[in-house]
Amino acid sequence: MATHKLLLLPGDGIGPEVMGEVKRLIDWLSVSGIAKFETDTGLVGGSAYDAHKVSISEGDMVKAKDADAIIFGAVGGPKWDAVPYEVRPEAGLLRLRKDLRLFANLRPAVCYPALADASSLKREAVEGLDIMIVRELTGGVYFGEPKTITDLGNGQKRAIDTQVYDTYEIERIARVAFDLAKKRRNKVTSMEKRNVMKSGVLWNEVVTQVHKREYSDVTLEHQLADSGGMMLVKWPKQFDVIVTDNLFGDMLSDIAAMLTGSLGMLPSASLGEVDVKSKKRKALYEPVHGSAPDIAGQGLANPIAMISSFGMALRYSFDMGALADKLDAAIAAVLASGLRTADIKSEGTTAASTTQMGEAILKELQKLHA
């Protein structure tokens, strides 16, 4: 049995708490002989700044590059608001994405039947929801140059962020979206702002060309990103796979997350290109939610997004799709039993701490795997 190397980066706030529930699951899989994992732990974000005055140390970057997959918690919080911009907690995550060339961000939005009433939309709009947002992660306005703030004098300043995309960047993210759609419901919706942005014009043109040349058997639709956001909250089940750029993907995926009832429910995967020789790809898995410093240390955090992120690692890094399916089923069973963390609590359900939720999911997985 192959040994898979994992780097755990719990981060800040509730990160260590939800990571603890994943570590419990990893340990059980290894002890039971279902899979073999070798884990190491590092610092990222504010915790790394406190220890090393950087958002991630060079030593932990070496570990990240050597790992088969990175399991990432959350970073940031008011404690570090005044640190220099280049070493802010979020810079650690951006460096991981950039240095490991993690260009494809997969953000599923799945509404579990037991949580359909927790959504801000009506049950009929979200029940059975299963969409995948594919966000380009290493280009666009977050990384484009120049990126400056210039003092113009007379109390005036000018801030510049540059939206930049090359053809190959759009081609490779489009292929990820089309390949995923072929394993799902065979439909891709590409979102951009071609009506006001030149990068949107190129995006539309390149996605159309890739579709015509390589994926003509997949249905392709184009939609302006603002209209797409509106349709996500009007009738989200019309979508299957949505592919979009870094900025719009950031916003649209958070909108999609709330359709399911809570940011605490949804995982994500950030993938690099497949190495031609090893057939492996660099990958980082993280919950969509933030560090939630207001509830850190209180046992209130929902660990489901973190556990589901590890489930995505099983599926996309380790070819353990059947085990990932069982983990998803275990989560659904626990929710169906009425167990709830504070963020998804409703009348008639049973309150659970972070640890209680993690333990319940593990017990259900053990039943399913017996």
Side-chain angles (χ1 to χ4, degrees), residues 263-330:
L263 280 171
M265 292 299 301
L266 297 184
S268 74
S270 299
L271 308 177
E273 295 195 69
V274 177
D275 183 83
V276 177
K277 293 182 180 179
S278 69
K279 304 300 180 184
K280 293 182 178 181
R281 68 198 317 166
K282 297 296 182 184
L284 180 149
Y285 299 90
E286 61 175 316
V288 170
H289 64 67
S291 62
D294 55 319
I295 62 168
Q298 300 177 43
L300 297 174
N302 186 345
I304 291 178
M306 187 80 257
I307 292 170
S308 296
S309 295
F310 176 67
M312 292 188 79
L314 295 175
R315 191 180 303 279
Y316 295 110
S317 282
F318 306 126
D319 196 26
M320 299 181 190
L323 182 57
D325 288 342
K326 287 181 181 179
L327 183 55
D328 289 341

Side-chain angles (χ1 to χ4, degrees), residues 39 149 257 275 282 343:
T39 63
I149 297 178
D275 183 83
K282 297 296 182 184
D343 59 315

Side-chain angles (χ1 to χ4, degrees), residues 228-296:
M230 179 187 71
M231 295 310 297
L232 269 174
V233 296
K234 183 179 181 181
W235 192 247
K237 287 191 285 187
Q238 67 184 279
F239 299 113
D240 179 19
V241 175
I242 295 171
V243 62
T244 189
D245 74 8
N246 208 340
L247 175 62
F248 296 135
D250 197 358
M251 295 185 288
L252 292 169
S253 58
D254 276 6
I255 292 172
M258 284 311 299
L259 300 178
T260 68
S262 171
L263 280 171
M265 292 299 301
L266 297 184
S268 74
S270 299
L271 308 177
E273 295 195 69
V274 177
D275 183 83
V276 177
K277 293 182 180 179
S278 69
K279 304 300 180 184
K280 293 182 178 181
R281 68 198 317 166
K282 297 296 182 184
L284 180 149
Y285 299 90
E286 61 175 316
V288 170
H289 64 67
S291 62
D294 55 319
I295 62 168

